[in-house]
PDB file of all heavy atoms in Angstrom:
ATOM      1  N   THR A   7      43.116 -59.290  50.701  1.00 98.00           N
ATOM      2  CA  THR A   7      41.929 -59.392  51.555  1.00 98.00           C
ATOM      3  C   THR A   7      40.679 -59.247  50.686  1.00 98.00           C
ATOM      4  O   THR A   7      40.553 -58.287  49.929  1.00 98.00           O
ATOM      5  CB  THR A   7      41.915 -58.310  52.647  1.00 98.00           C
ATOM      6  OG1 THR A   7      43.051 -58.478  53.497  1.00 98.00           O
ATOM      7  CG2 THR A   7      40.645 -58.405  53.494  1.00 98.00           C
ATOM      8  N   VAL A   8      39.802 -60.216  50.786  1.00 98.00           N
ATOM      9  CA  VAL A   8      38.526 -60.170  50.073  1.00 98.00           C
ATOM     10  C   VAL A   8      37.420 -59.927  51.090  1.00 98.00           C
ATOM     11  O   VAL A   8      37.295 -60.673  52.069  1.00 98.00           O
ATOM     12  CB  VAL A   8      38.261 -61.481  49.302  1.00 98.00           C
ATOM     13  CG1 VAL A   8      36.822 -61.528  48.802  1.00 98.00           C
ATOM     14  CG2 VAL A   8      39.226 -61.611  48.140  1.00 98.00           C
ATOM     15  N   THR A   9      36.654 -58.876  50.886  1.00 98.00           N
ATOM     16  CA  THR A   9      35.508 -58.586  51.753  1.00 98.00           C
ATOM     17  C   THR A   9      34.262 -59.187  51.116  1.00 98.00           C
ATOM     18  O   THR A   9      33.931 -58.890  49.972  1.00 98.00           O
ATOM     19  CB  THR A   9      35.326 -57.072  51.948  1.00 98.00           C
ATOM     20  OG1 THR A   9      36.523 -56.528  52.531  1.00 98.00           O
ATOM     21  CG2 THR A   9      34.142 -56.797  52.867  1.00 98.00           C
ATOM     22  N   THR A  10      33.576 -60.024  51.869  1.00 98.00           N
ATOM     23  CA  THR A  10      32.412 -60.721  51.339  1.00 98.00           C
ATOM     24  C   THR A  10      31.173 -59.844  51.390  1.00 98.00           C
ATOM     25  O   THR A  10      31.159 -58.783  52.029  1.00 98.00           O
ATOM     26  CB  THR A  10      32.148 -62.008  52.130  1.00 98.00           C
ATOM     27  OG1 THR A  10      31.768 -61.668  53.467  1.00 98.00           O
ATOM     28  CG2 THR A  10      33.395 -62.887  52.183  1.00 98.00           C
ATOM     29  N   SER A  11      30.121 -60.301  50.746  1.00 98.00           N
ATOM     30  CA  SER A  11      28.878 -59.530  50.699  1.00 98.00           C
ATOM     31  C   SER A  11      28.189 -59.439  52.058  1.00 98.00           C
ATOM     32  O   SER A  11      27.309 -58.607  52.241  1.00 98.00           O
ATOM     33  CB  SER A  11      27.924 -60.149  49.671  1.00 98.00           C
ATOM     34  OG  SER A  11      27.731 -61.525  49.919  1.00 98.00           O
ATOM     35  N   ASP A  12      28.580 -60.300  53.017  1.00 97.00           N
ATOM     36  CA  ASP A  12      28.044 -60.163  54.374  1.00 97.00           C
ATOM     37  C   ASP A  12      29.077 -59.564  55.327  1.00 97.00           C
ATOM     38  O   ASP A  12      29.014 -59.739  56.536  1.00 97.00           O
ATOM     39  CB  ASP A  12      27.526 -61.510  54.902  1.00 97.00           C
ATOM     40  CG  ASP A  12      28.625 -62.545  55.090  1.00 97.00           C
ATOM     41  OD1 ASP A  12      29.736 -62.361  54.528  1.00 97.00           O
ATOM     42  OD2 ASP A  12      28.391 -63.547  55.796  1.00 97.00           O
ATOM     43  N   GLN A  13      30.056 -58.877  54.751  1.00 97.00           N
ATOM     44  CA  GLN A  13      31.025 -58.061  55.495  1.00 97.00           C
ATOM     45  C   GLN A  13      31.988 -58.870  56.355  1.00 97.00           C
ATOM     46  O   GLN A  13      32.490 -58.379  57.363  1.00 97.00           O
ATOM     47  CB  GLN A  13      30.307 -57.010  56.353  1.00 97.00           C
ATOM     48  CG  GLN A  13      29.418 -56.064  55.554  1.00 97.00           C
ATOM     49  CD  GLN A  13      30.172 -55.399  54.403  1.00 97.00           C
ATOM     50  OE1 GLN A  13      31.206 -54.760  54.618  1.00 97.00           O
ATOM     51  NE2 GLN A  13      29.665 -55.551  53.177  1.00 97.00           N
ATOM     52  N   GLN A  14      32.281 -60.109  55.946  1.00 98.00           N
ATOM     53  CA  GLN A  14      33.394 -60.839  56.532  1.00 98.00           C
ATOM     54  C   GLN A  14      34.635 -60.585  55.680  1.00 98.00           C
ATOM     55  O   GLN A  14      34.526 -60.219  54.505  1.00 98.00           O
ATOM     56  CB  GLN A  14      33.088 -62.339  56.592  1.00 98.00           C
ATOM     57  CG  GLN A  14      31.891 -62.695  57.440  1.00 98.00           C
ATOM     58  CD  GLN A  14      32.068 -62.348  58.910  1.00 98.00           C
ATOM     59  OE1 GLN A  14      33.153 -62.498  59.476  1.00 98.00           O
ATOM     60  NE2 GLN A  14      30.995 -61.876  59.536  1.00 98.00           N
ATOM     61  N   THR A  15      35.806 -60.772  56.261  1.00 98.00           N
ATOM     62  CA  THR A  15      37.049 -60.606  55.513  1.00 98.00           C
ATOM     63  C   THR A  15      37.752 -61.948  55.409  1.00 98.00           C
ATOM     64  O   THR A  15      37.874 -62.678  56.394  1.00 98.00           O
ATOM     65  CB  THR A  15      37.982 -59.581  56.166  1.00 98.00           C
ATOM     66  OG1 THR A  15      38.270 -59.974  57.522  1.00 98.00           O
ATOM     67  CG2 THR A  15      37.344 -58.198  56.176  1.00 98.00           C
ATOM     68  N   LEU A  16      38.197 -62.271  54.204  1.00 98.00           N
ATOM     69  CA  LEU A  16      38.887 -63.525  53.937  1.00 98.00           C
ATOM     70  C   LEU A  16      40.321 -63.230  53.527  1.00 98.00           C
ATOM     71  O   LEU A  16      40.560 -62.408  52.629  1.00 98.00           O
ATOM     72  CB  LEU A  16      38.185 -64.305  52.829  1.00 98.00           C
ATOM     73  CG  LEU A  16      36.705 -64.643  53.051  1.00 98.00           C
ATOM     74  CD1 LEU A  16      36.138 -65.340  51.824  1.00 98.00           C
ATOM     75  CD2 LEU A  16      36.517 -65.492  54.290  1.00 98.00           C
ATOM     76  N   CYS A  17      41.260 -63.896  54.190  1.00 98.00           N
ATOM     77  CA  CYS A  17      42.670 -63.760  53.830  1.00 98.00           C
ATOM     78  C   CYS A  17      42.958 -64.680  52.654  1.00 98.00           C
ATOM     79  O   CYS A  17      42.796 -65.896  52.751  1.00 98.00           O
ATOM     80  CB  CYS A  17      43.551 -64.109  55.018  1.00 98.00           C
ATOM     81  SG  CYS A  17      45.333 -64.035  54.644  1.00 98.00           S
ATOM     82  N   VAL A  18      43.382 -64.103  51.549  1.00 98.00           N
ATOM     83  CA  VAL A  18      43.617 -64.842  50.307  1.00 98.00           C
ATOM     84  C   VAL A  18      45.090 -64.713  49.930  1.00 98.00           C
ATOM     85  O   VAL A  18      45.684 -63.641  50.037  1.00 98.00           O
ATOM     86  CB  VAL A  18      42.734 -64.290  49.168  1.00 98.00           C
ATOM     87  CG1 VAL A  18      42.964 -65.072  47.882  1.00 98.00           C
ATOM     88  CG2 VAL A  18      41.262 -64.336  49.570  1.00 98.00           C
ATOM     89  N   LYS A  19      45.663 -65.815  49.472  1.00 98.00           N
ATOM     90  CA  LYS A  19      47.035 -65.799  48.974  1.00 98.00           C
ATOM     91  C   LYS A  19      47.054 -66.315  47.538  1.00 98.00           C
ATOM     92  O   LYS A  19      46.329 -67.252  47.199  1.00 98.00           O
ATOM     93  CB  LYS A  19      47.947 -66.672  49.844  1.00 98.00           C
ATOM     94  CG  LYS A  19      48.119 -66.165  51.268  1.00 98.00           C
ATOM     95  CD  LYS A  19      49.040 -67.066  52.064  1.00 98.00           C
ATOM     96  CE  LYS A  19      49.207 -66.562  53.504  1.00 98.00           C
ATOM     97  NZ  LYS A  19      50.098 -67.441  54.297  1.00 98.00           N
ATOM     98  N   THR A  20      47.876 -65.689  46.722  1.00 98.00           N
ATOM     99  CA  THR A  20      48.086 -66.173  45.355  1.00 98.00           C
ATOM    100  C   THR A  20      49.554 -66.510  45.189  1.00 98.00           C
ATOM    101  O   THR A  20      50.438 -65.813  45.690  1.00 98.00           O
ATOM    102  CB  THR A  20      47.656 -65.133  44.313  1.00 98.00           C
ATOM    103  OG1 THR A  20      48.432 -63.925  44.487  1.00 98.00           O
ATOM    104  CG2 THR A  20      46.176 -64.805  44.457  1.00 98.00           C
ATOM    105  N   TRP A  21      49.796 -67.581  44.456  1.00 98.00           N
ATOM    106  CA  TRP A  21      51.142 -68.129  44.333  1.00 98.00           C
ATOM    107  C   TRP A  21      51.493 -68.312  42.861  1.00 98.00           C
ATOM    108  O   TRP A  21      50.732 -68.907  42.117  1.00 98.00           O
ATOM    109  CB  TRP A  21      51.233 -69.494  45.023  1.00 98.00           C
ATOM    110  CG  TRP A  21      50.668 -69.546  46.408  1.00 98.00           C
ATOM    111  CD1 TRP A  21      49.341 -69.577  46.768  1.00 98.00           C
ATOM    112  CD2 TRP A  21      51.402 -69.574  47.627  1.00 98.00           C
ATOM    113  NE1 TRP A  21      49.213 -69.627  48.135  1.00 98.00           N
ATOM    114  CE2 TRP A  21      50.468 -69.639  48.696  1.00 98.00           C
ATOM    115  CE3 TRP A  21      52.761 -69.578  47.941  1.00 98.00           C
ATOM    116  CZ2 TRP A  21      50.848 -69.694  50.034  1.00 98.00           C
ATOM    117  CZ3 TRP A  21      53.154 -69.642  49.262  1.00 98.00           C
ATOM    118  CH2 TRP A  21      52.201 -69.697  50.291  1.00 98.00           C
TER     119      TRP A  21
END
Side-chain angles (χ1 to χ4, degrees):
T7 298
V8 169
T9 301
T10 66
S11 53
D12 66 343
Q13 302 307 304
Q14 299 296 322
T15 57
L16 303 176
C17 178
V18 181
K19 295 181 180 180
T20 60
W21 312 76

